[in-house]
Amino acid sequence: MFYRIRPIFDEKITGINGSQAETALNPVDFDDPLHIRKWNFKYIPDYVVIPIPKVKAKAKFTDLMSVSFTGSSFKLTISDKLKVIIEKYSRDKLQYLPITVQHKEKKRKGYWLTNILDFDNDKINYLKAEIVKRNYPLNNGFIIDVNNYSEYQKQKSLTEYPYSLYVRKIVLMSDLLENFIVLDNVYGGVGYYVSEKLKAEIEEAGCTGIEFEPVEQG
């Protein structure tokens, strides 16, 4: 069994309704080439500027934070403790960027922003998954037949705007050796997934702020 991990929205855990941080201090302009929003799915040099999320006054700190700012798309904000666990299994798939967060008037370190360097869409069982070719921005579409990853790649290369491929139903292979994978073209754009083993390790460490959504294997 695998689980998609996401920030949890539970006031008892996070202290508030909604995201723990929805705004940020931006040391450089959004259009500056050094702003992190200009860098997605490639290695980010240490001179790139990361905004400083402003955590809401009543929010509690968790190991996976619900953080949103320009440039945070497809990234997780995680604590030192959660990073140590995930980093053992993510191999060269993720880059971890140190991020400072502000709570009231104090700046706090000990958090990291994940940057995706590689995806694992070859770990999907395409015979059982559901792949949709959809029209953006109408967001309607139709199911297409895809038997394996090679066919998926071919269909993706042939798909042009305003169409895109979307993995509407995810079924992972049953014989995966990995404990951590990342998929794109799923709900929310990308998804982070952990095995039963990794989920247990995260829970045993007492990591907070994480919602585990089961994902089918077969």
Side-chain angles (χ1 to χ4, degrees), residues 25 52-57 61 100-108:
L25 302 172
I52 301 172
K54 297 175 68 175
V55 177
K56 296 176 181 177
F61 280 84
T100 299
V101 297
Q102 179 167 315
H103 185 234
K104 298 179 181 179
E105 300 303 317
K106 294 183 179 180
K107 289 185 172 61
R108 179 168 174 170

Side-chain angles (χ1 to χ4, degrees), residues 1 20-21 27 38 40 76 89 96 114 123 131 158 208 210 214:
M1 177 71 77
Q20 289 150 291
K38 299 285 188 177
N40 261 333
L76 300 178
Y89 300 99
Y96 298 89
T114 61
K123 304 302 188 296
I131 311 301
L158 295 173
T208 59
I210 307 168

Side-chain angles (χ1 to χ4, degrees), residues 193-206:
Y193 304 82
V194 300
S195 67
E196 192 80 56
K197 173 185 175 181
L198 182 48
K199 175 178 181 285
E201 191 170 335
I202 291 170
E203 292 176 327
E204 287 169 9

Side-chain angles (χ1 to χ4, degrees), residues 3 16 19 50 67 76 85 92 94 110 112 116 133 149 155 177 184 194 211:
Y3 300 85
I16 56 168
S19 296
I50 302 174
V67 171
L76 300 178
I85 298 171
D92 298 326
L94 295 181
W112 302 82
I116 302 169
K133 188 172 184 177
Y149 181 57
Q155 287 287 345
L177 299 177
D184 68 347
V194 300
E211 177 183 357

Side-chain angles (χ1 to χ4, degrees), residues 174-208:
S174 59
D175 57 351
L176 293 180
L177 299 177
E178 292 81 1
N179 288 286
F180 179 87
I181 63 176
V182 185
L183 303 178
D184 68 347
N185 296 322
V186 298
Y187 177 76
V190 304
Y192 298 77
Y193 304 82
V194 300
S195 67
E196 192 80 56
K197 173 185 175 181
L198 182 48
K199 175 178 181 285
E201 191 170 335
I202 291 170
E203 292 176 327
E204 287 169 9
C207 293
T208 59

Side-chain angles (χ1 to χ4, degrees), residues 26-40 42-51 70-71:
N26 286 279
V28 298
D29 188 80
F30 293 150
D31 293 325
D32 192 303
L34 296 184
H35 193 285
I36 194 172
R37 84 178 186 93
K38 299 285 188 177
W39 302 74
N40 261 333
K42 56 186 175 182
Y43 183 81
I44 298 177
D46 57 11
Y47 54 76
V48 170
V49 179
I50 302 174
T70 302

Side-chain angles (χ1 to χ4, degrees), residues 87 89-96 115-119:
E87 194 170 20
Y89 300 99
S90 61
R91 306 186 307 282
D92 298 326
K93 205 179 313 295
L94 295 181
Q95 178 187 5
Y96 298 89
N115 176 44
I116 302 169
L117 300 176
D118 195 17
F119 291 98

Side-chain angles (χ1 to χ4, degrees), residues 57-193:
K58 294 183 179 180
K60 298 177 183 177
F61 280 84
T62 53
D63 293 290
L64 177 55
M65 298 282 288
S66 54
V67 171
S68 176
F69 59 83
T70 302
S72 69
S73 298
F74 315 127
K75 299 175 178 65
L76 300 178
T77 301
I78 60 177
S79 69
D80 284 337
K81 181 165 67 173
L82 185 54
K83 171 184 177 284
V84 167
I85 298 171
I86 292 179
E87 194 170 20
K88 290 188 296 184
Y89 300 99
S90 61
R91 306 186 307 282
D92 298 326
K93 205 179 313 295
L94 295 181
Q95 178 187 5
Y96 298 89
L97 308 167
I99 184 171
T100 299
V101 297
Q102 179 167 315
H103 185 234
K104 298 179 181 179
E105 300 303 317
K106 294 183 179 180
K107 289 185 172 61
R108 179 168 174 170
K109 297 185 182 297
Y111 277 88
W112 302 82
L113 201 65
T114 61
N115 176 44
I116 302 169
L117 300 176
D118 195 17
F119 291 98
D120 296 294
N121 285 56
D122 59 324
K123 304 302 188 296
I124 295 174
N125 183 340
Y126 287 94
L127 288 173
K128 296 184 178 180
E130 190 173 275
I131 311 301
V132 174
K133 188 172 184 177
R134 61 181 181 177
N135 185 339
Y136 181 84
L138 299 180
N139 213 30
N140 56 8
F142 51 91
I143 298 173
I144 62 172
D145 289 327
V146 177
N147 296 312
N148 52 51
Y149 181 57
S150 178
E151 289 185 11
Y152 172 78
Q153 287 181 302
K154 181 178 180 180
Q155 287 287 345
K156 190 176 179 180
S157 68
L158 295 173
T159 302
E160 298 180 349
Y161 183 85
Y163 289 94
S164 64
L165 296 191
Y166 174 58
V167 186
R168 186 162 66 186
K169 178 185 176 183
I170 299 169
V171 181
L172 298 175
M173 293 180 177
S174 59
D175 57 351
L176 293 180
L177 299 177
E178 292 81 1
N179 288 286
F180 179 87
I181 63 176
V182 185
L183 303 178
D184 68 347
N185 296 322
V186 298
Y187 177 76
V190 304
Y192 298 77
Y193 304 82

